[in-house]
Each structure stands twice: as structure tokens, then as C-alpha cells.
């Protein structure tokens, strides 16, 4: 094969990260696999909207998501559709207030002024099915170029608990109340990502309320943060 032929093949496959098939003469190369954004890691900040007047969260409310997605490219374009499975966790902190999720009698959720805890949080975990419509500048390599994705996540609540830390007689004490009774068992969230190469900014907004109807709270959550993708 001449030097000029090798150069043409290299230019044709520039930006491609995958295996290739070569015919017996070594003249043509056909892509066999593509970089498909298999793994997505997200770390961000959670916000609860719709809290009662005077109630606010405190500090960094940690949002962490991990998902495995498989990318289905639309032929001869920079667009694709992705489907996968993931886990999302959230830790939202309050200062001088607690939420009565441990109450087994009342059907109403109420915040109570309470300063006995040094740290107090509400934590949730969801098993999710993420869906995305994607645009990639480098269509055959998710690790390069400009990327944007719009989609949704369908989630099932698998854990919800309150956790408080305090000091009693000079010794640290942790109290944990675990229940999903007040929490909406399902969540549907709109999602978006934008970035370059492996690094992105992401955002999500829950279209469904965090708590069940008739609990007295109509809270929706949204989160923003950074994302590592395309591994």
C-alpha cells in the first residue's frame, strides 16, 4: 500500500476510537465498534423548591449519580439515542430544623425547630432508567469534541431516611430514622448535559413531587453539577 493510500485512510478515520476490519488486501477499513458513552458519573448540588416559608437547606446538598448507558447512533448523522440503568443518591442538610418522617401516626409532614443536632439530613436513593437524545460533534468518538444531551430519568425510590448527629455527655451519637412512607415511590426528572470531550455540566429537574400527595408538602427537586462521561 502506498504512503498516499495510508494517509487517506488515516484521515478518514480521524477521531475514531474503535476497532476496524481490514480486507485481505488491506485497502479498505470498515468501523466495527464505536465509543458509546457507556459510563456517566455526576456530582452536584441538590435544591428543594417549594419549602415552607422560613425553611431552607444548609451547606452543600450532595447529589451523586452513576449510570451505564448504551448509545444507538442514527446512521450518517451526529445524533443518537441512549438508554441505560443507573443509581442516584441525594443528601440534603438542614440547620436547626428536623422533619418528622419517623412519625408513624400522622399523615402530615412538618418541620420542627430543633437545634439538638450538629448535623441533620434527609437522604434518598433511586434506581433509575436514564434516556437521552444526543448530539456529538465527533460522531464516532464520545471522548472528543462538543456534546449536548437532553433526556429524562425514570426512578424508583429504594431508600429514604433521616440522620442526625449530636454530642451527648461528650460522646458522639447518631440517630437514624428509615422509612419511605411519606415519599413518592416514583420520580420522573428532565435532564440536560452540555460539555466538551469527557467533561460536562449537567442539570435535572424533578417533574414529580418528592413527597406523596396529602402530606402537606409539595417539594420538587433540581440539581446542577459536573459530569464525567464517555469512558
Amino acid at each position: 500500500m502506498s504512503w498516499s493510500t495510508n494517509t487517506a485512510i488515516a484521515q478518514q478515520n480521524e477521531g475514531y476510537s474503535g476497532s476496524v476490519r481490514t480486507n485481505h488486501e488491506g485497502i479498505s477499513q470498515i468501523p466495527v465498534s464505536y465509543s458509546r458513552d457507556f459510563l456517566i458519573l455526576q456530582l452536584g448540588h441538590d435544591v428543594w423548591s417549594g419549602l415552607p416559608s422560613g425553611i431552607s437547606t444548609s451547606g452543600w446538598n450532595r447529589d451523586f449519580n452513576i449510570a451505564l448507558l448504551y448509545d444507538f447512533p442514527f446512521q450518517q448523522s451526529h445524533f443518537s439515542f441512549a438508554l441505560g440503568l443507573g443509581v442516584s443518591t441525594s443528601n440534603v442538610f438542614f440547620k436547626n430544623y428536623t422533619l418528622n418522617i419517623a412519625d408513624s401516626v400522622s399523615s402530615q409532614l412538618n418541620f420542627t425547630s430543633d437545634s439538638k443536632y450538629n448535623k441533620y439530613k434527609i437522604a434518598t436513593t433511586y434506581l433509575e432508567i436514564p434516556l437521552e437524545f444526543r448530539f456529538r460533534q465527533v460522531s464516532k468518538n464520545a471522548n472528543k469534541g462538543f456534546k449536548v444531551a437532553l433526556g429524562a430519568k425514570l426512578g424508583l425510590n429504594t431508600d429514604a431516611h433521616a440522620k442526625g448527629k449530636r454530642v451527648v455527655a461528650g460522646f458522639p451519637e447518631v440517630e437514624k430514622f428509615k422509612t419511605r412512607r411519606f415519599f413518592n415511590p416514583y420520580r420522573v426528572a428532565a435532564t440536560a448535559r452540555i460539555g466538551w470531550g469527557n467533561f460536562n455540566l449537567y442539570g435535572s429537574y424533578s417533574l414529580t413531587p418528592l413527597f406523596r400527595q396529602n402530606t402537606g408538602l409539595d417539594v420538587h427537586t433540581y440539581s446542577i453539577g459536573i459530569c464525567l462521561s464517555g469512558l
Side-chain angles (χ1 to χ4, degrees), residues 153-175:
K153 296 192 297 185
L154 312 177
L156 173 67
N157 186 296
T158 59
D159 180 76
H161 65 267
K163 187 175 182 180
K165 296 182 179 181
R166 60 177 180 170
V167 176
V168 178
F171 295 95
E173 181 177 273
V174 177
E175 294 181 349

Side-chain angles (χ1 to χ4, degrees), residues 84-156:
L85 186 66
V87 175
S88 174
T89 64
S90 172
N91 293 271
V92 176
F93 295 85
F94 294 88
K95 186 175 182 179
N96 299 329
Y97 283 95
T98 60
L99 188 62
N100 66 322
I101 69 167
D103 191 333
S104 60
V105 178
S106 176
S107 62
Q108 296 290 299
L109 273 174
N110 298 292
F111 283 93
T112 303
S113 178
D114 192 339
S115 59
K116 70 178 180 181
Y117 295 113
N118 298 326
K119 290 185 178 180
Y120 179 84
K121 71 176 182 179
I122 301 293
T124 55
T125 302
Y126 291 86
L127 181 66
E128 296 180 318
I129 298 176
L131 314 165
E132 285 188 338
F133 289 98
R134 297 169 165 180
F135 170 84
R136 291 204 298 244
Q137 181 186 12
V138 183
S139 60
K140 296 177 182 178
N141 190 344
N143 300 314
K144 296 182 178 181
F146 173 76
K147 298 191 298 184
V148 63
L150 298 175
K153 296 192 297 185
L154 312 177
L156 173 67

Side-chain angles (χ1 to χ4, degrees), residues 66-94:
I66 182 171
L68 290 171
L69 293 93
Y70 194 79
D71 191 81
F72 300 90
F74 300 147
Q75 291 185 354
Q76 305 301 320
S77 79
H78 294 270
F79 295 91
S80 64
F81 171 75
L83 173 69
L85 186 66
V87 175
S88 174
T89 64
S90 172
N91 293 271
V92 176
F93 295 85
F94 294 88

